Amino acid sequence: DAGVIQSPRHEVTEMGQEVTLRCKPISGHNSLFWYRQTMMRGLELLIYFNNNVPIDDSGMPEDRFSAKMPNASFSTLKIQPSEPRDSAVYFCASSLQGNAGELFFGEGSRLTVL
Amino acid sequence: DAKTTQPPSMDCAEGRAANLPCNHSTISGNEYVYWYRQIHSQGPQYIIHGLKNNETNEMASLIITEDRKSSTLILPHATLRDTAVYYCIVRVGGAGSYQLTFGKGTKLSVIP
């Protein structure tokens, strides 16, 4: 079975540019999570969705970040405009609500903002 | 969710059991203990979870003390591929509360 699929795996961009990260959750999963990982702050939850509805976005750092889940098989995390401090690995994870918290993570998208 | 305390790093000889401790002295009665690991450059991977009984699966065993204030993850025969950061997380179970908060974890190095 295909796991959580993220794209792009690597992105290098310049400050001020728009960045869009994409995630395809595991088919049948109805919860989706976006995490960010840096050396300084570790793994931080940015936002999560249940049944395509954002439940908690308190981890989204500021208005430059936005996330959408237009359907059960696709989500995006957008940063506009990007800044060097946004450089991190962004992970998407999905789970089946009611499975007692087993999250399946993608391989991550490594973002570098110059 | 309750806070956890883990040693920052541990070493284990290849083929020996790796015992990773976790303290969660403020755990509530409805909070589960989860273990995940993250191998370098990969996404975190679920290992095991439990509420109060000991649990075992194909990857590991989880031993939770009777007072639930601490737990130990046991990898019975550690291999080099088990070198990773191991995260102990406590979280309320039930519907509508599925986010996991990761701490710094324990960096396990399996030594040949």
Side-chain angles (χ1 to χ4, degrees), chain A residues 8 20 39 59 83 95 98-99:
Chain A
T20 300
M39 289 292 292
E83 296 182 3
S95 72
N99 75 343

Side-chain angles (χ1 to χ4, degrees), chain B residues 1-6 22-28 31-33 68-71 88-92 101-104:
Chain B
D1 292 340
K3 185 176 178 179
T4 62
T5 303
Q6 299 179 253
C22 180
N23 286 322
H24 31 80
S25 58
T26 60
I27 192 169
S28 301
E31 289 182 314
Y32 289 72
V33 180
R68 301 187 69 240
K69 294 183 184 299
S70 65
S71 61
C88 170
I89 303 163
V90 293
R91 195 216 71 185
V92 174
T101 302
F102 288 80
K104 296 186 184 299

Side-chain angles (χ1 to χ4, degrees), chain B residues 13 31 36 48 56 58-59 71 83 85 87 104 106-107 111:
Chain B
E31 289 182 314
Y36 278 72
I48 198 167
T56 296
E58 65 278 4
M59 290 183 67
S71 61
T83 292
V85 178
Y87 298 98
K104 296 186 184 299
T106 295
K107 181 173 173 55
I111 302 168

